[in-house]
């Protein structure tokens, strides 16, 4: 018979004790779950809670505004293509393989839904959000920083809102993003409301920036621009009264793609999709090139396959580094001239002629790049070659044409033209078909469309429960 | 009254002699062919009973032969104990009482001499009682009890609880065979019930159980896929008894053993429906190239969404619907107790360089996909896959398991000599069917220049022609060709009682179906003066080799340790030729002039054409993903006693990836560029568990399990790109411009502990559980909720009162309830600023810009699931049914919600607890064996599932929102449902014969159009086995219904559609196309799909024939996949619709699933 061997006695108590210790130990996962640290690719939020951090956020706001204004997808490019300043490079170039640009549909005023202006919308709204973060950060973490910094931010937000009102349909939602707080969706605001809101921003800037003449002037010109948008000409004239002729606020850009270059880099520095300088676009456009006006210089690029010459504006260097004027004494004078014309004062023409004859263009070479020439006007140096004094056309309509023509040339590719054309419709009762490019549009084998502004991106309607589309696609 | 007789049976005598590790019975000469097995077994059963009880057989017949007795007992059926009779005994002698019971019930009863000699008298009065109850009443106090032998006879045996203790030990040995093929079964588990003695059969199917206590023992044999068998044998001290078993392929799944978080359990005791896939059986019957192939259509409730048909491209797996709307809906994967990296649909699932499949192509799907970690596991190395589908089953696996668990067990070695297996396959693949035609309408202007115009655009002077074309269907233009695949696998299993091993090595090499057209080949030669490199000519390839090893060592009688190691090296290659499918769809070739017209659109209703000499514009970019996947794990099991076991798992899974996207120098007139990324994921696992079992009064057994586990996942990816490659190089060195590197690092750990008490009765099984988790993301600890679970099952068919015993062999009812949760990432709560350099105020400065809005109010999402159902075996185990219904509720569901651009521009998201999401559904599996003869067996398995996904409510302040252009989250509708503004009417108002945009009325508000996942899915697998399995035919069909998706290909090629160019197109189609800039309504379609998914015809050589070639087994199979598609879908393939990451679906026109055939030769030595 076999004997069944007995197994060693098991220390059950020890085993259960071990299990219990294990269980209790696991009750405190902190003992086994590692140390306190954020992932290395996540920026530590506390780093922004310092004066330096607040200033970095401020610089971020300046940078983002610059991109929204004159960057690759900025207001100047979109507005320029929609109006008569630029035209899509595909015009007349069917079959060259450069298709794929959404600009064609903007150019033809045929966009009814989301389009390339989505990027401009995004950039402008992003800049608004960043400006509010910067305002909050300066107040919270950099109380000793100059208050004028906050004033500048308010001014830039005002401009940002003007761009939104100028370019997009009535009904742009201005949702809010609190500093370190939540965001609140807002319904679409009528265009007038946005201009009013922008004016309030400029007022805030004027209150905060009393020790900075530059910011004060920036805010004054901006406020006047907002007031012009509201049709309040006297107030606009009053706002810019103190702005000197030689005031100039320009946004600076870097050369090349790595940093914040302006739209000229993508527009003309690339081998594809070059929007070209328009000339009498759609019949109503100004003859920016053919007039030979020194304020709108251009260069011959070449001919397309049908032999049509293509030009590019040379106002901005193709490496994207040229500063772009945001506000200036010239604009202040133009505002005054418009107010005077609107009021029936004969001074409007001398005001305009003073700009043409009492200033000069800076023809100095760029100190860094000898191929670049700054063609910006400077006040008070005694006359501009090639610009004869204007004559009074005698009729109200023609006077208005002259005024807006002057604005068109002086403010070429600075983001003003789109607002001006809409104002011609809204405030001066011009017909959109007499203001915007119209007629046959070669690039689409069709006609120019009917739109005078850009739609709000579809994503806004998808995600913002308070937004239900444009309030009005008219001017 | 019939005469009753007693007969004495004589038993066959067998001898056994052993050599080390091998048991070879000496009585092999008594092996019987099929058909005699059951008789032999019955005789053997009576034999051992005779040994046990003295061999008295009481029958109601006069035939005294053993055969007659067995036949009679067989007629009695397996439910002899449950027949109902009435008795009225008053002081009747026990043996006479038994005679009378046998007579009245018409059954045979076997008892021993001791019973016959028992002079006691019994007094029992029962009406309409079962034979079992009557016998127990009669035998009460006698020390005997009735049992039912497998042969169907009632045997009166000594009650072991009262029996005198037998002394000494003996051995039981025997051979296990397949009842149909008579092939010996290796790996069957043989246990002596009530002991810890357990062995597995060797490669000849033999087993030996030693040290069996003398007396009556129940030997149980289990093997996955077979119905278990058990038999009582009498063991006499120092003697050997033989017990052979012939296992039938089981329809029933209940006896299977499943792996749970607390260890192995009989499925019968688990209250959830757990799908088990026995990989060996699938590999023989279907073309399998990946684990995803193994899972697809074999797991009711699992939806597989394909990203493309390219070799190695991953699929998205969803169990019981999108259970979470968190970014990661992937089930977790556990291999031999070790967690492996399983995020198959997060952004890392794409190529780490973020190489875009084509930034401008309408077929864009974002980044190139990379093979999933799941598919890096070699199917040949797997023994079983178990799929736990929801929180009620996965509670104890922790918070990560909320989306389900895939438990993979690799092959185990068996004691015995080395058993080699080898297989080789060679296959080809191609694209079935034709692509739909495209249309172009040509005119000319007054100058004679050609114009391209649609119905809605002016066509110059007039329309010249309407052409139909499809370059993809033209052999000389298409990039579609034949692919091929080669796989070779070699494995060995073996070992001794103390140490067993299994090793598998597999090499897989596959080339996709894309090729460079001859035209482009020649053009390349002319341009570059050389032939294109191989990767340009045949860009799609997948190369993988893997090695898996498992060793199990017994450390004495009470412990064993197993070590698993897997290593896979995989390289997937693609190129930008992938993107040319869409380019070719819109390329018209004027054969007369040899001109290529490439039509381009920008998503609007107009397009442009380009006259070109380029057929395929871009095939110059090569994208590769190289992954090395290493998993190492060890499990220590300790069985210190029959009531206590403990185990420890520890393991590490490391996946190292090196991805590249290369544009060689001088291609596309550039100096070349290279994006390069290195990434790694490391998953560490430690599991501890202990299970104690104790018998309780009233037949209850308590099992108490407790354990803890710790999992840590670390991710570290780094990518960079350069432009301007040095001449003659394809690397980073010497490059001109080096871009900013991008880093993705994360580090998260989870730890938790649990307890799970379970109570079991013969018919009742009940378990509860509680898990507490802690989580850490970079050390910021969070306490997670406590997750409870509860489950029970009831073997109702074993109840004496169960009225349908003649129909049901087994009927089990079950229900389970469990919780799970998902914790938001800690950084999701933070408002973060990114740092960069920018040009500000005339100089370069550091700037901070907002990079993440953050949401400080985020809460963990919490999921509960209630699952109930039944399992039934019917009609003598010919039919098996499993049915489950579930209700899964996700509260505080987390979702990354897009923020409207008015807040901070485009592409801003925020995590929100958006509300409550519910998945309800049913799953059923029906397995039957309709025919079971020597000549032919026919069986089939039908799996059916239905899932109803619903966003129950949105949290306060959360409004319905879109997560894609047409996919929307709205209460009362499915998650990611398809929505669009409806076309409410159209009419040709101006009677010009075409529908124009202003003749179509589009509704103002979005209308719900359907779910983005199939609502109904079904799969049918059927097997015909001829001549005892010599020839076997397997076929698989898949059906899906209710998937609604946008035909993005048609949308992007709208101007090439018939509706846009042919006035003869139906108005409804014209209407759908002309308003596409307002709504996608007309191109969103709810799809029904029936796919003939697999066919396998296999020849299995007889053992005799195999031995002639020196093999123990040989099979040759021809296998095909994707052999037919029957659908109402207007696109090419509705089931290739998933992006590499995320949860959205759309048919974006990437490569559909090819059709493939392969020849497989499998051998065993």
């Amino acid at each position: 018979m076999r004997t069944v061997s007995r197994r060693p006695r098991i220390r059950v108590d020890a085993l259960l004790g071990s299990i219990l210790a294990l269980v209790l130990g696991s009750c405190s996962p902190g003992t086994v779950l590692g140390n306190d640290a954020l992932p290395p690719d996540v920026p530590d939020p506390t780093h922004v809670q310092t004066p330096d951090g607040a200033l970095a956020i401020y610089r971020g706001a300046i940078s983002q505004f610059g991109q929204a204004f004159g960057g690759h997808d900025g207001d100047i490019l979109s507005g320029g293509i929609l109006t008569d300043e630029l035209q899509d490079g595909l015009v007349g170039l069917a079959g060259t393989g450069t298709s794929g640009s959404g600009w064609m549909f903007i150019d033809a005023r045929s966009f009814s839904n989301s389009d390339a202006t989505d990027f401009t919308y995004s950039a402008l709204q992003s800049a608004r959000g960043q400006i509010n973060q910067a305002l909050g950060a300066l107040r919270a973490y950099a109380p000793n920083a100059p208050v004028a910094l906050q004033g500048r931010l308010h001014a830039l937000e005002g401009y940002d809102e003007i761009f939104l009102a100028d370019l997009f349909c009535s009904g742009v939602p201005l949702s809010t993003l609190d500093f370190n707080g939540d965001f609140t969706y807002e319904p679409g605001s009528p265009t007038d409301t946005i201009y009013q809101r922008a004016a309030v921003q400029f007022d805030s800037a004027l209150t905060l920036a009393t020790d900075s003449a530059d910011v004060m002037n920036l805010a004054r010109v901006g406020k006047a621009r907002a007031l012009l948008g509201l049709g309040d000409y006297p107030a606009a004239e009053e706002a810019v009264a103190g702005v000197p002729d030689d005031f100039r606020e320009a946004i600076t850009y870097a050369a090349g793609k790595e940093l914040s270059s302006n739209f000229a880099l993508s527009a003309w520095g690339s081998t594809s999709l070059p929007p070209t300088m328009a000339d009498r676009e759609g019949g109503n456009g100004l003859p920016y090139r053919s007039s030979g006006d020194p304020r709108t210089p251009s260069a011959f690029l070449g001919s397309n396959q049908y032999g049509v010459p293509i030009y590019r504006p040379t106002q901005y260097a193709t490496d994207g580094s040229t500063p772009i004027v945001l506000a200036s004494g010239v604009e202040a004078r133009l505002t005054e001239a418009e107010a005077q014309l609107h009021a029936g004062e004969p001074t409007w023409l001398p005001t305009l002629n003073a700009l043409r004859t009492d200033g000069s263009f800076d023809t100095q070479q760029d100190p860094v790049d000898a191929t670049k020439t700054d063609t910006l006007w400077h006040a008070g140096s005694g006359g501009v070659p090639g610009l004869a004094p204007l004559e009074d056309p005698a009729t109200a309509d023609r006077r208005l044409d002259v005024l807006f023509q002057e604005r068109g040339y002086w403010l070429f590719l600075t983001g003003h033209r789109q607002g001006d054309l809409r104002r011609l419709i809204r405030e001066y009762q011009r017909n959109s078909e007499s203001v915007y490019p119209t007629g046959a549009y070669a690039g689409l084998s069709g006609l120019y469309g009917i739109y005078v502004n850009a739609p709000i991106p579809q994503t806004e309607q998808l995600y913002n429960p308070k937004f239900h589309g444009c309030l009005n696609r008219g001017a | 009254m019939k005469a009753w007789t007693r007969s004495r049976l004589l038993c066959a005598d067998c001898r056994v002699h052993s050599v080390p590790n091998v048991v070879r019975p000496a009585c092999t000469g008594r092996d019987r062919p099929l058909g005699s097995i059951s008789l032999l077994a019955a005789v053997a059963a009576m034999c051992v009973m005779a040994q046990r009880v003295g061999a008295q057989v009481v029958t109601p017949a006069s035939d005294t032969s053993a055969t007659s007795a067995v036949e009679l007992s067989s007629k009695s059926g397996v439910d002899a104990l449950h027949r109902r009779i009435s008795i009225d005994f008053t002081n009747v002698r026990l043996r006479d009482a038994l005679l009378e019971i046998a007579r009245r019930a018409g059954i045979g009863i076997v008892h021993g001499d001791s019973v016959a000699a028992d002079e006691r008298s019994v007094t029992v009065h029962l009406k309409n009682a079962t034979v079992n109850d009557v016998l127990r009443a009669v035998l009460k106090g006698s020390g005997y009890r009735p049992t039912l032998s497998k042969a169907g006879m009632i045997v009166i045996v000594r009650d072991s609880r009262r029996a005198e203790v037998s002394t000494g030990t003996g051995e039981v040995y025997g051979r296990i065979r397949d009842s149909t093929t008579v092939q010996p079964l290796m790996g069957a588990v043989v246990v002596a019930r009530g002991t810890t003695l357990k062995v597995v059969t060797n490669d000849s199917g033999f087993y030996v159980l030693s040290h069996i206590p003398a007396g009556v023992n129940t030997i149980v044999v289990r093997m996955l896929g077979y119905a278990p068998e058990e038999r009582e044998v009498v063991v006499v001290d120092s003697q050997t008894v033989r017990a052979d078993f012939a296992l039938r392929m089981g329809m029933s799944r209940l006896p299977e053993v499943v792996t749970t978080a607390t260890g192995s359990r009989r499925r019968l005791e688990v209250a959830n429906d757990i799908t088990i896939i026995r990989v060996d059986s699938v590999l023989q019957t279907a073309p399998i190239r990946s684990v995803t192939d193994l899972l697809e259509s074999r797991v009711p409730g699992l939806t597989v969404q394909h990203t493309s048909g390219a070799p190695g491209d991953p699929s998205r797996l969803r169990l019981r619907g999108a259970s979470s709307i968190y970014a990661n809906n992937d089930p977790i994967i556990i291999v031999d107790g070790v967690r492996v990296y399983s995020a198959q649909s997060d952004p890392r699932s794409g190529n780490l360089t973020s190489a875009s499949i084509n930034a401008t192509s309408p077929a864009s799907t974002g980044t190139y996909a990379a093979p999933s970690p799941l598919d890096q596991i070699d199917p040949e190395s797997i023994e079983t896959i178990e799929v736990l589908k929801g929180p009620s089953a996965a509670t104890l696996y922790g918070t990560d398991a909320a989306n389900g668990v895939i438990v993979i067990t690799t092959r185990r070695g068996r004691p015995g000599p080395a058993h080699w297996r080898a297989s080789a396959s060679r296959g080809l693949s191609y694209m079935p069917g034709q692509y739909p035609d495209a249309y172009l309408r040509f005119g000319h202007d007054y100058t004679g220049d050609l114009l391209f115009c649609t119905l809605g655009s002016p066509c110059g002077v007039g329309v010249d022609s309407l052409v139909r074309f499809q370059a993809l269907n033209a052999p000389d233009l298409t990039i579609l060709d034949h692919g091929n695949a080669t796989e070779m696998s070699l494995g060995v299993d073996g070992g001794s009682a103390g140490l067993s091993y299994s090793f598998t090595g597999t090499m897989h090499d596959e080339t996709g179906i894309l090729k460079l057209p001859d035209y482009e080949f020649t053009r390349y030669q002319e341009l570059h003066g050389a032939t294109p490199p191989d990767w340009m000519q045949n860009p799609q390839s997948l190369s993988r080799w893997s090695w898996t090893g498992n060793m199990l060592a017994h450390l004495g009688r009470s412990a064993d340790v197993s070590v698993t190691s897997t290593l896979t090296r995989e390289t997937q290659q693609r190129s930008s030729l992938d993107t040319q499918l869409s380019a070719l769809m819109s390329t018209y070739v004027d054969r007369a002039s040899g001109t290529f017209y490439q039509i381009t659109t920008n998503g609007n209703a107009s397009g442009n054409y380009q006259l070109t000499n380029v057929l395929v514009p871009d095939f110059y970019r090569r994208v590769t993903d190289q992954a090395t996947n290493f998993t190492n794990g060890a499990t220590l099991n300790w069985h210190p006693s029959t009531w206590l076991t403990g185990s420890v798992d520890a393991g590490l899974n490391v996946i190292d990836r090196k991805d590249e996207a290369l544009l060689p120098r001088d291609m596309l007139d550039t100096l070349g560029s290279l994006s390069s990324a290195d990434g790694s994921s490391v998953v560490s696992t430690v599991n501890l568990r202990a299970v104690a079992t104790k018998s309780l009064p009233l037949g209850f057994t308590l099992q108490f399990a407790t354990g803890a586990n710790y999992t840590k996942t670390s991710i570290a990816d780094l990518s960079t790109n350069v432009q301007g490659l040095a001449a003659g190089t394809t690397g980073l060195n010497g490059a001109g411009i080096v871009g900013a590197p991008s880093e993705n690092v994360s580090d998260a750990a989870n730890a938790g502990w649990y307890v799970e008490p379970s109570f079991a009765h013969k018919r009742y099984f009940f378990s509860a559980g509680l898990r507490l988790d802690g989580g850490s993301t970079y050390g910021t600890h969070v306490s997670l909720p406590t997750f409870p679970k509860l489950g029970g099952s009831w073997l109702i068919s074993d109840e004496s009162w169960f009225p349908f015993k003649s129909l049901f062999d087994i009927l089990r009812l079950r229900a389970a309830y469990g919780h799970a949760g998902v914790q938001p990432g800690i950084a999701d709560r933070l408002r973060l600023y990114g740092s960069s350099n920018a040009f500000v105020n005339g100089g370069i400065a550091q700037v901070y810009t907002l990079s993440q809005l953050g949401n400080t109010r985020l809460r963990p999402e919490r999921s509960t699931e209630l699952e109930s159902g039944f399992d039934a075996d019917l009609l003598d185990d010919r039919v098996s049914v499993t049915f489950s219904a579930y209700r899964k509720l996700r509260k505080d569901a987390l979702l990354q919600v897009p923020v409207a651009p008015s807040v901070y521009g485009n592409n801003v998201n925020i995590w929100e607890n958006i509300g409550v999401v519910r998945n309800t559904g049913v799953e059923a599996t029906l397995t039957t064996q309709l025919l079971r003869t020597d000549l032919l067996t026919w069986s089939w398995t039908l799996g059916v599932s239905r899932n109803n996904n619903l966003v129950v409510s949105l949290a306060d302040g959360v409004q319905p929102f879109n997560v894609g252009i047409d996919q929307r989250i709205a209460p009362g509708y499915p998650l990611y449902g398809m929505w669009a503004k409806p076309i409410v009417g159209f009419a040709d108002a101006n009677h010009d014969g075409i529908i124009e945009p202003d003749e179509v009325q589009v509704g103002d508000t979005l209308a719900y159009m359907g779910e983005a996942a199939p609502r109904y899915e079904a799969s049918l697998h059927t097997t015909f086995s001829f001549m005892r399995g010599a020839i076997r035919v397997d076929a698989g069909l898949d059906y899906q219904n209710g998937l609604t998706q946008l035909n993005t290909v048609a949308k992007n090629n709208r101007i090439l559609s018939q509706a846009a160019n042919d006035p003869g197109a139906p108005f409804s189609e014209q209407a759908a196309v002309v308003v596409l800039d307002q709504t996608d309504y007309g191109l969103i379609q709810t799809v029904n799909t029936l796919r003939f998914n697999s066919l396998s015809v296999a020849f299995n050589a007889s053992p005799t024939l195999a031995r002639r070639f020196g093999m123990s087994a040989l099979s040759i199979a021809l296998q095909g996949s994707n052999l037919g598609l029957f659908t109402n879908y207007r696109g090419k393939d509705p089931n290739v619709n998933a992006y590499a990451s995320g949860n959205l679906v759309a048919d974006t026109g990437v490569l559909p699933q090819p059709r493939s055939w392969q020849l497989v030769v499998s051998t065993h030595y």
Side-chain angles (χ1 to χ4, degrees), chain B residues 473-489:
Chain B
N473 295 337
D476 58 332
L477 304 176
T478 186
I479 59 174
L480 300 173
D481 194 22
H482 288 80
N484 60 70
T486 305
E487 181 168 301
M488 286 184 282
S489 182

Side-chain angles (χ1 to χ4, degrees), chain B residues 368-393:
Chain B
Y368 283 87
S372 80
L374 179 66
D375 290 339
Q376 287 163 4
I377 300 170
D378 176 18
E380 296 279 352
S381 70
I382 301 174
E383 193 160 290
T384 61
I385 301 176
E386 295 162 37
V387 182
L388 287 66
K389 300 171 186 172
S392 67

Side-chain angles (χ1 to χ4, degrees), chain A residues 1 10 15 22 33 35-37 43 56 59 99 105 113 122 125 130 133 175 178 180-181 185 252-253 460 463 465, chain B residues 167 237 600 602 640 644 688 690 706 745 776 778-779 831 833 839 842 846 848 850 900-902 904 906 959 962 1077:
Chain A
M1 180 180 295
I10 297 140
L15 177 67
L22 170 72
L33 292 179
N35 54 3
D36 292 326
R59 291 191 294 270
S99 58
F105 297 91
N113 213 321
S122 171
Q125 295 282 22
Q130 181 73 23
Q133 298 305 295
S175 302
D178 298 337
N180 278 344
Y185 284 128
T252 58
Y253 296 91
E460 187 69 45
Y463 306 135
Chain B
T167 57
D237 181 33
T600 54
N602 65 353
L644 182 64
L688 305 172
T706 185
V745 179
S776 166
Y778 277 92
R831 178 160 294 182
Y833 291 85
F839 195 81
Q846 185 186 31
Y848 288 166
L850 204 56
S902 60
Y904 197 75
N906 288 341
Q959 299 294 320
N962 274 44
D1077 59 343

Side-chain angles (χ1 to χ4, degrees), chain B residues 144 179 188 379 528 743 784 865 1060 1097:
Chain B
Y144 297 99
S179 66
H528 300 282
E743 187 179 32
L784 297 182
E865 185 185 49
V1097 180

Side-chain angles (χ1 to χ4, degrees), chain B residues 749-979:
Chain B
N750 275 303
W753 66 273
Y754 58 82
V755 292
E756 184 191 42
S758 305
F759 296 90
H761 192 265
K762 287 173 64 177
R763 296 182 291 275
Y764 314 110
F765 306 94
F766 173 79
S767 72
L770 192 68
R771 182 181 171 102
L772 279 81
D773 264 358
S776 166
T777 304
Y778 277 92
T780 304
H781 305 138
V782 289
S783 295
L784 297 182
T786 302
F787 299 126
K789 81 179 192 82
L790 207 58
S793 70
W794 179 19
L795 202 56
I796 190 172
S797 57
D798 269 17
E799 295 289 355
S800 59
W801 48 263
F802 184 68
F804 307 109
K805 286 181 179 290
S806 59
L807 177 63
F808 289 92
D809 303 320
I810 294 176
L811 176 61
R812 178 180 77 129
L813 308 181
R814 54 181 160 74
Y817 175 79
H819 277 225
V822 176
Q823 178 76 7
I826 188 64
D828 297 340
R829 294 184 168 94
L830 301 178
R831 178 160 294 182
L832 300 175
Y833 291 85
S835 172
S836 61
N837 288 330
F839 195 81
V840 180
N841 297 332
I844 298 173
Q846 185 186 31
V847 301
Y848 288 166
T849 52
L850 204 56
S851 60
Q852 177 177 293
L853 294 189
N855 182 353
T856 56
R857 299 160 306 177
L858 282 183
R859 299 178 297 276
E861 67 177 26
R862 196 174 171 85
S863 183
T864 60
E865 185 185 49
L866 175 63
E867 174 188 325
S868 60
F870 67 86
D871 307 283
D873 296 342
L874 304 92
L875 306 176
D876 194 17
D877 198 27
R878 286 176 183 271
V879 178
S880 176
V881 180
T882 296
F883 174 85
S884 297
Y886 59 87
R887 183 177 188 275
K888 192 163 55 170
L889 200 65
R890 184 71 52 127
K891 293 180 179 174
D892 284 334
L894 288 165
L895 183 69
Q896 200 171 26
V897 177
V899 176
S902 60
V903 174
Y904 197 75
N906 288 341
N907 304 319
V908 175
N909 298 292
I910 189 169
W911 286 101
E912 292 263 19
N913 292 107
I914 67 136
V916 180
V917 178
R918 188 177 70 205
N919 278 283
T920 54
V922 294
E923 297 157 357
T925 304
L926 174 64
T927 305
T928 70
Q929 198 164 56
L930 297 175
L931 277 175
R932 195 159 65 195
T933 68
D934 282 357
L935 185 62
L936 170 66
T937 61
W938 177 27
S939 60
W940 50 267
T941 299
L942 174 66
V944 181
S945 65
R946 172 186 181 275
N947 185 68
N948 185 21
N949 181 281
L950 190 72
V951 178
V952 177
S953 61
L954 292 179
D956 290 344
V958 178
Q959 299 294 320
F961 59 94
N962 274 44
V963 286
I965 294 301
D966 293 315
Q967 291 188 258
R968 189 167 176 81
I969 310 288
Y973 296 93
L975 204 60
Y976 304 116
M978 301 295 297
W979 294 68

Side-chain angles (χ1 to χ4, degrees), chain B residues 220-485:
Chain B
V220 181
V221 183
R222 286 197 181 92
M223 187 167 183
L224 204 56
Y226 291 87
E229 293 279 342
E230 66 178 60
R231 183 180 309 159
E232 287 183 327
V233 297
V234 176
V235 176
V236 180
D237 181 33
S238 303
Q239 291 191 16
T240 298
V241 179
R242 176 167 183 163
D244 291 342
F245 293 82
L247 301 187
R248 280 187 297 135
M249 291 292 287
M251 300 298 106
S252 172
R253 298 298 178 85
L254 285 174
E256 293 173 342
V257 173
V258 298
T259 306
T260 70
T262 56
S264 296
R265 291 282 189 88
R266 285 190 302 159
R267 181 200 287 271
L268 192 65
E269 301 172 20
V270 178
N272 301 93
D273 174 31
I274 298 174
T275 299
I276 302 179
I277 297 171
R278 186 172 170 243
V279 175
D280 257 352
S281 64
V282 178
L283 290 176
Q284 294 168 10
T285 60
I288 300 297
R289 293 181 180 175
S290 66
V291 175
T292 300
D293 287 348
L294 282 169
L295 295 170
E296 186 171 14
S297 82
R298 290 179 179 83
V299 183
L302 172 69
T303 300
V304 178
Q305 296 169 307
H306 299 274
T307 56
S308 95
D313 263 9
S315 298
R316 186 191 296 167
L317 306 182
R318 294 289 176 265
L319 284 163
R320 290 181 174 170
S323 56
S324 171
I325 41 184
Y326 199 76
N328 184 351
N329 267 298
D330 303 319
I332 63 170
I333 304 167
I334 294 175
V335 177
D336 291 341
V338 178
R339 274 277 296 275
V340 301
Y341 184 75
S342 57
Q344 297 163 79
S345 59
D346 75 2
R348 292 189 79 245
S349 63
N351 191 282
L352 292 178
T353 64
S354 299
S356 170
I357 196 165
N358 190 342
T360 58
S361 164
S364 171
T365 56
T367 56
Y368 283 87
S372 80
L374 179 66
D375 290 339
Q376 287 163 4
I377 300 170
D378 176 18
E380 296 279 352
S381 70
I382 301 174
E383 193 160 290
T384 61
I385 301 176
E386 295 162 37
V387 182
L388 287 66
K389 300 171 186 172
S392 67
T395 302
L396 297 188
Y397 281 96
T399 55
D400 292 344
N403 301 317
V405 186
I406 297 173
V407 180
I408 292 174
T409 303
T410 60
R411 287 179 183 273
R412 295 289 188 265
R414 318 290 181 206
H419 171 242
W420 291 86
R421 53 196 151 75
S423 67
S425 69
R426 174 73 177 173
L428 63 85
S429 54
Y430 57 94
M431 185 58 59
Q434 299 279 301
Y435 276 78
D437 276 352
Y439 290 72
L440 261 183
R441 193 161 169 262
F442 284 106
H444 64 274
D445 63 15
Y446 60 90
T447 67
D449 287 342
L450 204 59
L451 290 175
F452 156 52
C453 48
T454 60
L455 290 176
S457 62
C459 214
V461 175
V463 178
D464 295 330
S465 61
L466 174 67
V467 297
R468 294 174 64 167
F469 63 99
Q470 183 48 267
L472 287 172
N473 295 337
D476 58 332
L477 304 176
T478 186
I479 59 174
L480 300 173
D481 194 22
H482 288 80
N484 60 70

